[in-house]
Amino acid sequence: MNQTYSLNMIPGGNPLRVPVRQFDKGSRTITMTLWNGSGAFSVPAGSAVTVEGTKPDGKSFSSTASFSGASVSFTVTEQMAAVAGDVRCQLTVTKSGTILGSATFLLVVEPSALPEDPDLSETVFSSFQQLKNAAQTAASNAATSANAAAASAAEADAYKRWLIPYGAWRRYDTQVSTNVLAIATGDNNTLTAEQNQPATIMTEDASTLTNSPVTSGGFWARRTVYPVSNPTGSEHITVELEEYEPVLGRRWLRTYYAATGKWSEKWVEISPVSPLDQMVSGSSANINDYTGAGLYWLNKTTVTNTPNGGSGMLIVTTSPTGNVIYQTFVSFNTSSGYVATRCYTNSQWYNWDERPAPASYVVQEGTSGAWRYRIWSDGKKECWLITTIKHEVKQASGSLYYSSTVPYPYPVSFTGKPTVYVGVRSPNNKPIWAIPSTPASGSDVKNNAYMAFVTATSTDSISTDISIYACGV
């Protein structure tokens, strides 16, 4: 049976009255269209809707409701209609621990003609028994679906009872509250102690937690407490967090030493294995928190305290006991060659040792024919070769002879005239010189090396081994 109403989320006026009959349970569905003044109040996705109230006998109840847009539905439970009279109820819409809206209404429970367990006279007992048997048969046929629904409702109700302030959650009333290191100590330190029982932490804002290894963003983890005492009475209590978000499978350990009344200096992180050919995206805003061995990608928009303030790769290596940790940060701008390294030891981080790149560095090098070349980050280019050239030398100049200008193409493009050095090996022990030469007017001195050869005797053809080095921008 379904009953439909409109419910205004703005307080004021006479409360909505919803009639039901005493002892109704599971057979009556109430559907309400939510309004916010003159417009529909649409429930945002990811919200939770609850219906809570207090009966005339002073006992309260709480139940969850389903929703779609501005329509909210809930089924009348046994506890809602257990006592006749006006039951003041409140419908509340929450998301991530924040109340988005609420409204009150009256559940008007009409008294039943018969009590829940009637004392019937013998004259009507037989007829009543037949009706009761028929009802039991129908109930038996629906047992499977009813049990499943009850299990789902119990689970939802349990999560509601685990709710604690500021978006964190707890289980078994552990009193974890917002302090991740809340434990029972001294004579109360037992596995059955309320504060030492397993707990679940679920929050979308880890900054609201105290003593948490994760300090920003979402943090979901399972907390387990391990109290240990040795025969001499020395007591150690270790808190373990098995993380689900932001890093699935990561574990955190921290130990309380009863003899000193102090906790270990910092959380010990046990991260999932990170192979050296894979990087894990870093999720913590504090670079000090990256203490587990592995490779991490740090984005400067979320990790603001990287050594040079930029994005890059963090390499973490540790000693077997975790008391010595090395961090090496390599800038994303690999052309800069920026590397910084530091060490954690003696319970403290030491300063970064930064290794910036030289003022200029090679960005490209290779070969082209007989040439070898290099291009530098500041725009400088250089090239060199050793090769053989065959040419004539027969133009007279006094007692010497010289060749025509010989061009040789560069493997790189200079933007201006480069500095050129030319050397030559004299064949057959005969004197010969090779000199850089200025080409004729209008020729391109940026693309070719120009040479002239000089000898003491005229020759129509001579092969010489020459060396050329050119440098410029």
Side-chain angles (χ1 to χ4, degrees):
M1 182 181 300
N2 187 69
Q3 298 174 209
T4 304
Y5 303 92
S6 294
L7 181 64
N8 197 339
M9 301 295 283
I10 295 179
N14 295 324
L16 172 68
R17 298 175 67 86
V18 179
V20 298
R21 183 159 289 115
Q22 189 179 13
F23 307 133
D24 273 354
K25 61 176 181 178
S27 62
R28 194 180 302 271
T29 299
I30 309 300
T31 300
M32 294 181 174
T33 301
L34 305 184
W35 294 87
N36 189 3
S38 60
F41 179 89
S42 184
V43 180
S47 299
V49 180
T50 58
V51 176
E52 300 168 312
T54 301
K55 297 173 290 184
D57 62 0
K59 295 183 179 179
S60 301
F61 61 83
S62 178
S63 182
T64 58
S66 60
F67 65 88
S68 176
S71 178
V72 172
S73 298
F74 65 93
T75 300
V76 176
T77 65
E78 180 179 9
Q79 289 302 315
M80 291 181 183
V83 181
D86 289 350
V87 180
R88 191 167 189 84
C89 301
Q90 177 173 306
L91 185 147
T92 305
V93 180
T94 61
K95 184 174 183 181
S96 300
T98 300
I99 296 178
L100 304 182
S102 63
T104 58
F105 62 94
L106 291 179
L107 200 64
V108 182
V109 183
E110 297 180 359
S112 174
L114 293 175
E116 191 170 13
D117 296 312
D119 184 13
L120 298 174
S121 62
E122 293 183 1
T123 57
V124 298
F125 182 79
S126 177
S127 298
F128 185 82
Q129 188 63 45
Q130 292 177 0
L131 294 173
K132 186 174 182 180
N133 290 342
Q136 289 176 342
T137 300
S140 177
N141 292 336
T144 301
S145 58
N147 289 339
S152 298
E155 181 179 0
D157 186 59
Y159 271 102
K160 177 177 175 58
R161 287 187 291 104
W162 298 343
L163 182 65
I164 63 171
Y166 308 111
W169 292 60
R170 66 183 178 185
R171 190 174 185 178
Y172 309 132
D173 274 341
T174 57
Q175 298 182 10
V176 171
S177 188
T178 56
N179 185 359
V180 177
L181 295 181
I183 60 171
T185 59
D187 294 338
N188 296 321
N189 175 27
T190 64
L191 287 174
T192 58
E194 191 174 22
Q195 286 185 302
N196 290 350
Q197 292 185 15
T200 302
I201 299 169
M202 301 170 64
T203 179
E204 294 305 319
D205 184 8
S207 67
T208 63
L209 299 174
T210 303
N211 295 318
S212 172
V214 177
T215 57
S216 65
F219 182 45
W220 292 29
R222 173 74 168 173
R223 193 191 86 147
T224 307
V225 179
Y226 301 98
V228 176
S229 297
N230 63 21
T232 63
S234 178
E235 182 183 69
H236 293 173
I237 306 172
T238 295
V239 172
E240 178 187 31
L241 303 177
E242 182 184 356
E243 186 175 322
Y244 307 117
E245 183 186 321
V247 179
L248 180 62
R250 180 164 60 175
R251 294 168 57 224
W252 300 91
L253 299 173
R254 200 162 178 186
T255 297
Y256 174 80
Y257 303 99
T260 61
K262 295 182 179 180
W263 288 89
S264 53
E265 182 70 21
K266 58 193 291 289
W267 286 97
V268 174
E269 177 185 355
I270 305 174
S271 294
V273 175
S274 177
L276 293 181
D277 61 349
Q278 297 182 18
M279 283 192 293
V280 175
S281 294
S283 56
S284 177
N286 190 343
I287 202 169
N288 293 349
D289 293 337
Y290 296 90
T291 56
L295 304 181
Y296 303 89
W297 171 253
L298 305 186
N299 190 317
K300 67 178 181 180
T301 61
T302 55
V303 184
T304 57
N305 55 343
T306 54
N308 69 344
S311 300
M313 178 179 68
L314 181 67
I315 306 169
V316 180
T317 55
T318 67
S319 65
T321 59
N323 62 330
V324 178
I325 304 168
Y326 281 97
Q327 288 183 337
T328 301
F329 180 79
V330 182
S331 173
F332 170 64
N333 184 12
T334 53
S335 62
S336 71
Y338 177 90
V339 175
T341 185
R342 67 171 179 168
C343 178
Y344 175 89
T345 187
N346 299 325
S347 300
Q348 63 177 312
W349 285 105
Y350 287 86
N351 293 333
W352 288 98
D353 180 11
E354 301 180 76
R355 305 293 176 88
S360 181
Y361 48 90
V362 175
V363 295
Q364 183 181 345
E365 61 181 329
T367 60
S368 179
W371 286 101
R372 291 186 62 84
Y373 67 89
R374 289 188 297 199
I375 300 175
W376 295 76
S377 61
D378 60 0
K380 181 181 69 179
K381 306 177 186 72
E382 60 177 346
C383 55
W384 61 96
L385 64 69
I386 298 176
T387 189
T388 299
I389 294 181
K390 189 174 183 180
H391 50 86
E392 53 77 27
V393 184
K394 59 181 183 180
Q395 300 182 60
S397 178
S399 61
L400 299 176
Y401 297 88
Y402 64 93
S403 70
S404 58
T405 300
V406 179
Y408 204 96
Y410 295 126
V412 295
S413 296
F414 292 102
T415 57
K417 181 179 179 180
T419 301
V420 182
Y421 301 91
V422 178
V424 64
R425 184 178 66 84
S426 174
N428 303 320
N429 296 320
K430 294 181 180 181
I432 184 172
W433 300 268
I435 59 175
S437 176
T438 301
S441 175
S443 297
D444 187 357
V445 298
K446 297 181 292 183
N447 295 330
N448 294 280
Y450 292 93
M451 299 162 287
F453 297 93
V454 180
T455 63
T457 59
S458 175
T459 178
D460 290 332
S461 179
I462 186 171
S463 294
T464 57
D465 294 334
I466 65 166
S467 306
I468 305 176
Y469 174 82
C471 180
V473 294

